[in-house]
Amino acid sequence: MTPHLRRVTVLGASGSIGRQTLSLLAAYPHKYRLAGISVHRRTEALERCLVDFSPEWVAITDDQARSDFAARTRLSIPILSKEALYERLTTDPGDIVVNGIVGAEGFWASYYTLQHPTARLALANKESLVFGGRWLAPFRERIMPVDSEHSALFQCLHGEALESVEALILTASGGPFRGKKRPELEGIAPEEALAHPIWKMGSRITVDSATLVNKALELIEAYWLFGLSVHRLRVWVHPECIVHSLVLFRDGSMKAQLSLPDMRLPILYALAYPEREAFPEGRSDLARIGRLHFEEVDEETFPSLGFARQALAQGGSAPALFNAADEVAVEAFLSGKIHFLDIFTWIAWALAQPEAALDPADPFELAAIEKEFRRKLACNLGLPTYAG
Ligand code: MG
């Protein structure tokens, strides 16, 4: 093995971030080598992947899917369980771990990766920081944001002192319902919420960008990633999704990062950091685009950012329960159990529950509180089969 090859582990390899990361590894074989790969249950693309990249190990975290896969393939490399994966992340995760796992479960992969003394975490799983930011923040120097907004902020802050920052301004597309008021949102069907104008993403994050909960989670994510107080974090709606975020400095100067909305760019930046890799595709032709628009968020119609500020102010288990409430409520909305605007009602309800005022001592205790809370909420929402 050539010594300068960076060993990259891809977690959540069957998801959108995972697949795009693999496409980049395939495009830069002289720079990166796949160390390990994980999926939860979707093993369909895995065999092809093992042939193309020959990783050192593979993890399949769902027990049934793992035994099915092991029974139908003959592999000379280890097939790890979830526990064995966490062990591997702690001891030998490679140089960079790309966490593209979906949902709060992704926290644990981040947590164990950062237990390793040197591995860098390329973090696309924003729930890691929303769920357990205070246990990951001490390692923030090894966390490379892969969320496009946070990658933009990271790039703008490169070479700058945090003391000179007045505010971080996250941009939001505004989602498919930008400009609409509450009465127009009452009868929204799942299909309408799933039609995002710019980004193609998974269904939960697409609904989350329609409710602006995604931006609210990103506010919490930014809070832990950059260590600035919440009143220095702002959000502007920017429907073109070209400016991915901005930093306002105390001298009144601003820096912004601009590019086409393509998740491969923040992934590649995280892989190549502190260098920049040549990437021949897609240049944003600003002269042709002509105009970029920015506006304030309509927080009366979309109260999500207020919930994020409230959750951060409450601290303890509140941000994790905010996320859990949204995850369960979105599932209920997508299965036709509740209306679109009810998602906000249930998040507000979650933050008012007694368990949202608890202050767990470690992430294990928080996980137990969160699991029990999900069960309680799912019960209230009529999702009896919810196993979360
Ligand atoms: Mg984002």
Side-chain angles (χ1 to χ4, degrees), residues 126 147-150 171 199 205 214-215 218 221 263:
K126 67 193 72 179
D147 213 346
S148 59
E149 294 79 1
H150 304 76
T171 54
W199 297 97
I205 189 172
N214 182 52
K215 210 49 56 180
E218 289 181 353
E221 186 185 6
M263 283 311 294

Side-chain angles (χ1 to χ4, degrees), residues 153 156-157 161-169 228 232 234 236 245-256:
L153 292 170
C156 293
L157 288 168
L162 213 55
E163 299 79 66
S164 51
V165 174
E166 187 168 308
L168 304 180
I169 304 160
L228 279 173
R232 290 178 188 272
R234 301 179 194 162
W236 287 351
S245 277
L246 311 92
V247 177
L248 169 63
F249 294 95
R250 64 181 172 191
D251 60 0
S253 185
M254 297 181 94
K255 275 167 117 180

